[in-house]
């Protein structure tokens, strides 16, 4: 994880961005993102970390693998979709309902 990616994760955890989805909408296409190499041995330059919060009901299966990154568009899509899951399946009623 780069210093920039770590700082983003820390800011999200502290709530500095407010609504993450709105922040991501503003960031789309501001940065140059590029995938390099192949599917199983590559990396994403300027990747955005996808972060699980209580609003989006996302669950990162194995955060140690560093596979929780994508483009701004993908991170925003997963944030939106996680919120849709949370709206349809509230965690209090469905404690195991997550977007994995």
């Amino acid at each position: 994880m780069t210093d920039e990616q770590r700082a983003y994760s820390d800011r999200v955890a502290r709530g500095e961005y407010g609504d993450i989805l709105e922040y991501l909408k503003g960031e789309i296409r501001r940065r140059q993102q590029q995938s390099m190499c192949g599917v199983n041995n590559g990396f994403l330059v300027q990747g955005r970390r996808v972060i699980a919060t209580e609003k989006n009901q996302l669950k990162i299966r194995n955060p140690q693998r560093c596979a929780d990154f994508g483009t701004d568009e993908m991170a925003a899509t997963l944030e939106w979709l996680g919120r849709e899951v949370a709206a349809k399946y509230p965690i209090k009623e469905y404690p195991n309902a997550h977007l994995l």
Side-chain angles (χ1 to χ4, degrees):
M1 185 179 327
T2 66
D3 290 340
E4 181 182 345
Q5 291 166 332
R6 190 170 289 107
Y8 169 76
S9 298
D10 292 342
R11 286 184 194 116
V12 169
R14 290 191 302 266
E16 290 182 23
Y17 291 124
D19 188 339
I20 298 170
L21 185 56
E22 290 304 313
Y23 174 78
L24 290 173
K25 285 179 185 178
E27 288 293 298
I28 291 174
R29 293 186 179 79
R30 286 190 184 177
R31 301 180 319 144
Q32 295 293 324
Q33 298 170 323
Q34 177 76 35
S35 60
M36 307 296 281
C37 301
V39 173
N40 294 320
N41 65 352
F43 61 96
L44 180 64
V45 175
Q46 298 288 331
R48 175 74 66 188
R49 189 166 186 206
V50 177
I51 300 175
T53 67
E54 61 183 52
K55 280 187 176 181
N56 63 25
Q57 236 162 282
L58 294 174
K59 184 173 184 178
I60 308 300
R61 187 183 321 197
N62 189 352
Q64 292 77 24
R65 287 189 58 217
C66 287
D68 52 344
F69 290 84
T71 62
D72 287 341
E73 292 89 344
M74 179 59 76
T77 299
L78 291 172
E79 177 71 25
W80 173 82
L81 190 56
R83 290 178 184 201
E84 292 294 306
V85 170
K88 185 157 178 108
Y89 302 101
I91 200 78
K92 288 181 180 181
E93 294 176 48
Y94 302 94
N96 294 321
H98 291 85
L99 180 61
L100 184 62

